[in-house]
Amino acid sequence: MDTERQCAPEQSTESKPEGKARGADINYGIDDNPPWYFCIMMALQHYLTMIGAIVSIPFILTPALCMRDEDPARGTIISTMIFVTGLITYLQATWGCRLPLVQGGTISFLVPTLAILNLPQWKCPPADAIDAMTDTDRTELWQVRMRELSGAIAVAAVTQIVLGFSGLVGKLLRIITPLTIVPTVALVGITLFQHASETASKQWGIAVGTTGMLTLFSQVMGEVPFPGITYRKGHGLRVVWFPLFKLFPVLLTIAIMWTVCGVLTATGVFPEGHPARTDVRLRVLQDAEWFRVPYPGQFGLPTVSLAGVLGMLAGVLACTVESISYYPTIAQMCAAPPPPLHAINRGIGIEGLGTMLAGLWGSGNGTNTFGENVGAIGVTKVGSRRVIQWAALIMVLQGVLNKFGAAFIMIPDPVVGGIFCVMFGMITAFGLAALQYVDLRSSRNLYILGVSFFFPLVLCLWLQEHPGAIQTGNQTVDSTLSVLLGTTILVGGVLGCVLDNLIPGTPEERGLVAWSKEMALETAQDNDDVPAGGLVWEKNTFDFPYGMQLMRRWKWTRYVPFLPTYRMKL
């Protein structure tokens, strides 16, 4: 048996993308293809990172739908959401913006959802009245509300589809500056701190241990080699040394802390019903079906109302700004070139399509770029697109094999809370990283930053404490304004954008010169001198995986804003 020492697993022999230097400490870049067994492990890590956020949404949504806690349909909604997440994630990573991001359910849609369900016609009847209903009536009680949400989400998503595929989102990029990106992305992590606190506070010992172990593995022991055994035909068994702790810090942390909770549960240290017990959600596992394929309209034909569509439109706009903010950040993290305009257009269009499908499938939510998985890339230094495609496959399988997903739903809340403390902090930090482009010695920039950070937090907190404060005399307008003004990332992003474009400042001071190098809106494959039918173009990270040779022979594709051959008119 041979022994071989290597600092990292064997990487792809393909040429690295031009932006490789952008991530000097990256383990796998966007176009790298790790071995399949590493892909599966790292994909499972991404799955575990997003599963807590995905599961939390139905647990907040179902009570507002008038669904009882013991209703097995709750598991159906969870599986549906994860199934759609897998489909859209694969579509986005393969044919959309082609960045290694996860598209899934988002808390941004919960605010308008709860506002809609608080309308008089959708408020739940008293608990005793629900208990007196037959099973058929109780099913219809929550399904009619789900159909209302499904129609509102699907119709509102048309706006995002048009913004992306028409190229209108490219116009927005001219006014979305670093001082717009910073509050939009950073406020995501800052706003989510309450969610992390609620889950971590259920058992601070486990939560702090989880955070500490994740820090130890990813930051302290990242370069410590770990032995592994591989087999190659003709060479036999070999011992290969690889950075286990650097590649799988989240997965290792969850496995170890989950085991610790299991031991404390078995020994009775955690009493019955304690949120840190591993059997606290055992009923979810017992009630889950073994096999079920979700399908569009599974809860009935969606319905549409003006109040619902306008309310969901706020969630769509917030997610659009948030995703635009993530694209250049993710590209830099995974050592990819700056995303060109056609990739951004296509990414927003695919996200809108994903939100529409999520609504029609009956998930009760839309889709957005998962900030948790952005943070996971920052921690693990693994930005391979292939890993995300494997993660999408795992999500699709989980959506069909419900028992598999239900097992991961049993991860104790304090463990999830400890992971969130790191992930949400990473999101905030990456948002603040855009400050490197602006002049922080400028009192103008400091003023914009202070106002765009502080005012949204003050306004949104006040609206939460005074839910009926906005009264225009029109209930639809009231709910729409409450949703728009109650979303910190939307208020902060719009405020930063307006102030930065109105208050005088030089391009260097505003960071536009340095930012233009990150947000490359022009495509590099413009060459009118190359004869038609014989185009020889360099492979690009954001090209489609198939059909590029044929597409480059058709000149009309240069005018379609979401195709890789698009040539923007300056």
Side-chain angles (χ1 to χ4, degrees):
M1 183 171 64
D2 299 328
T3 301
E4 178 180 347
R5 181 183 181 88
Q6 61 183 47
C7 295
E10 185 178 350
Q11 298 188 11
S12 171
T13 57
E14 296 180 6
S15 60
K16 301 298 184 290
E18 181 183 353
K20 186 68 176 178
R22 286 154 53 88
D25 61 342
I26 196 76
N27 292 320
Y28 288 104
I30 187 171
D31 290 322
D32 291 336
N33 296 326
W36 64 269
Y37 44 87
F38 276 105
C39 281
I40 293 177
M41 296 296 290
M42 289 183 285
L44 184 60
Q45 184 169 248
H46 273 283
Y47 174 82
L48 293 174
T49 301
M50 53 76 65
I51 189 65
I54 281 285
V55 171
S56 66
I57 294 173
F59 275 85
I60 298 173
L61 173 64
T62 51
L65 289 173
C66 313
M67 183 184 295
R68 299 196 299 182
D69 292 341
E70 64 272 15
D71 195 325
R74 173 179 290 186
T76 301
I77 294 177
I78 293 174
S79 295
T80 298
M81 185 172 294
I82 299 178
F83 181 82
V84 176
T85 296
L87 290 179
I88 303 306
T89 296
Y90 181 82
L91 185 61
Q92 185 72 279
T94 307
W95 297 96
C97 68
R98 289 183 55 77
L99 288 169
L101 53 84
V102 175
Q103 294 273 174
T106 170
I107 296 178
S108 299
F109 276 94
L110 276 180
V111 179
T113 294
L114 297 177
I116 293 171
L117 296 178
N118 280 330
L119 296 176
Q121 63 269 33
W122 299 121
K123 284 188 176 180
C124 296
D128 54 351
I130 297 178
D131 293 337
M133 293 180 179
T134 63
D135 291 341
T136 302
D137 291 338
R138 278 194 293 266
T139 300
E140 178 62 19
L141 183 67
W142 70 263
Q143 286 191 357
V144 68
R145 287 160 174 77
M146 178 62 82
R147 291 194 290 269
E148 175 70 12
L149 295 179
S150 298
I153 293 171
V155 174
V158 175
T159 302
Q160 197 172 24
I161 295 175
V162 173
L163 282 175
F165 290 131
S166 68
L168 290 176
V169 71
K171 307 298 182 183
L172 296 178
L173 291 176
R174 295 302 183 185
I175 61 174
I176 295 179
T177 63
L179 290 176
T180 304
I181 302 298
V182 171
T184 303
V185 178
L187 281 172
V188 174
I190 295 175
T191 304
L192 291 174
F193 85 94
Q194 185 175 2
H195 180 63
S197 176
E198 290 175 354
T199 52
S201 62
K202 294 181 179 180
Q203 220 297 322
W204 277 111
I206 296 296
V208 173
T210 301
T211 301
M213 187 167 294
L214 181 55
T215 303
L216 177 66
F217 289 161
S218 63
Q219 303 301 317
V220 180
M221 301 178 63
E223 300 302 328
V224 176
F226 192 86
I229 299 178
T230 62
Y231 174 80
R232 181 178 296 180
K233 187 176 181 179
H235 294 79
L237 296 176
R238 293 190 305 166
V239 176
V240 179
W241 296 83
F242 65 99
L244 173 70
F245 303 106
K246 190 175 184 178
L247 291 173
F248 308 111
V250 177
L251 188 60
L252 288 172
T253 299
I254 291 178
I256 293 174
M257 296 309 297
W258 198 354
T259 302
V260 171
C261 290
V263 172
L264 296 177
T265 298
T267 57
V269 175
F270 292 147
E272 289 291 336
H274 193 283
R277 288 180 64 94
T278 54
D279 59 357
V280 70
R281 296 194 184 103
L282 185 59
R283 183 157 187 176
V284 176
L285 179 62
Q286 295 172 341
D287 293 342
E289 300 180 67
W290 281 103
F291 183 85
R292 184 181 186 277
V293 180
Y295 57 92
Q298 57 184 332
F299 303 129
L301 187 66
T303 58
V304 179
S305 67
L306 180 61
V309 172
L310 292 179
M312 289 300 179
L313 187 60
V316 168
L317 294 176
C319 291
T320 301
V321 174
E322 186 179 348
S323 289
I324 291 175
S325 304
Y326 275 134
Y327 290 167
T329 302
I330 298 174
Q332 186 176 26
M333 290 168 58
C334 62
L341 183 60
H342 65 78
I344 297 172
N345 290 337
R346 198 164 56 247
I348 296 300
I350 292 294
E351 182 172 320
L353 178 62
T355 296
M356 175 181 287
L357 294 179
L360 296 178
W361 242 276
S363 68
N365 203 265
T367 60
N368 190 26
T369 302
F370 255 116
E372 293 88 343
N373 294 85
V374 177
I377 294 176
V379 171
T380 63
K381 310 299 182 187
V382 175
S384 171
R385 183 189 299 116
R386 183 63 55 85
V387 171
I388 298 299
Q389 292 170 335
W390 275 91
L393 177 61
I394 292 176
M395 296 172 201
V396 171
L397 290 176
Q398 189 279 316
V400 176
L401 304 173
N402 291 7
K403 292 286 187 182
F404 177 78
F408 289 107
I409 292 172
M410 296 175 64
I411 298 175
D413 286 343
V415 176
V416 177
I419 297 293
F420 282 172
C421 287
V422 175
M423 295 305 176
F424 295 161
M426 292 293 292
I427 296 170
T428 303
F430 281 119
L432 295 175
L435 291 176
Q436 64 184 297
Y437 306 109
V438 305
D439 185 1
L440 291 179
R441 297 169 296 180
S442 168
S443 59
R444 168 197 182 272
N445 292 344
L446 295 177
Y447 179 86
I448 295 174
L449 285 173
V451 174
S452 60
F453 265 107
F454 194 76
F455 182 76
L457 294 173
V458 172
L459 176 62
C460 295
L461 178 61
W462 182 79
L463 287 174
Q464 290 176 6
E465 296 177 349
H466 303 82
I470 299 179
Q471 295 184 1
T472 63
N474 186 302
Q475 195 170 20
T476 300
V477 175
D478 293 346
S479 61
T480 302
L481 290 176
S482 297
V483 171
L484 290 172
L485 298 178
T487 307
T488 55
I489 57 176
L490 183 62
V491 176
V494 170
L495 195 56
C497 180
V498 171
L499 292 178
D500 189 36
N501 285 278
L502 287 182
I503 300 177
T506 65
E508 292 79 6
E509 182 183 17
R510 299 172 59 193
L512 300 183
V513 176
W515 177 246
S516 63
K517 299 176 182 178
E518 296 296 330
M519 185 64 75
L521 300 182
E522 293 79 14
T523 54
Q525 304 102 326
D526 296 338
N527 189 355
D528 291 329
D529 297 331
V530 180
L535 296 179
V536 180
W537 292 12
E538 184 180 354
K539 180 182 178 182
N540 188 278
T541 295
F542 299 98
D543 282 351
F544 286 154
Y546 309 105
M548 288 305 303
Q549 290 185 352
L550 183 62
M551 190 176 299
R552 288 163 183 159
R553 291 190 175 95
W554 295 336
K555 290 187 176 182
W556 61 267
T557 62
R558 303 181 184 183
Y559 306 98
V560 181
F562 58 87
L563 294 181
T565 51
Y566 176 57
R567 295 174 56 182
M568 185 184 65
K569 295 181 180 180
L570 300 176

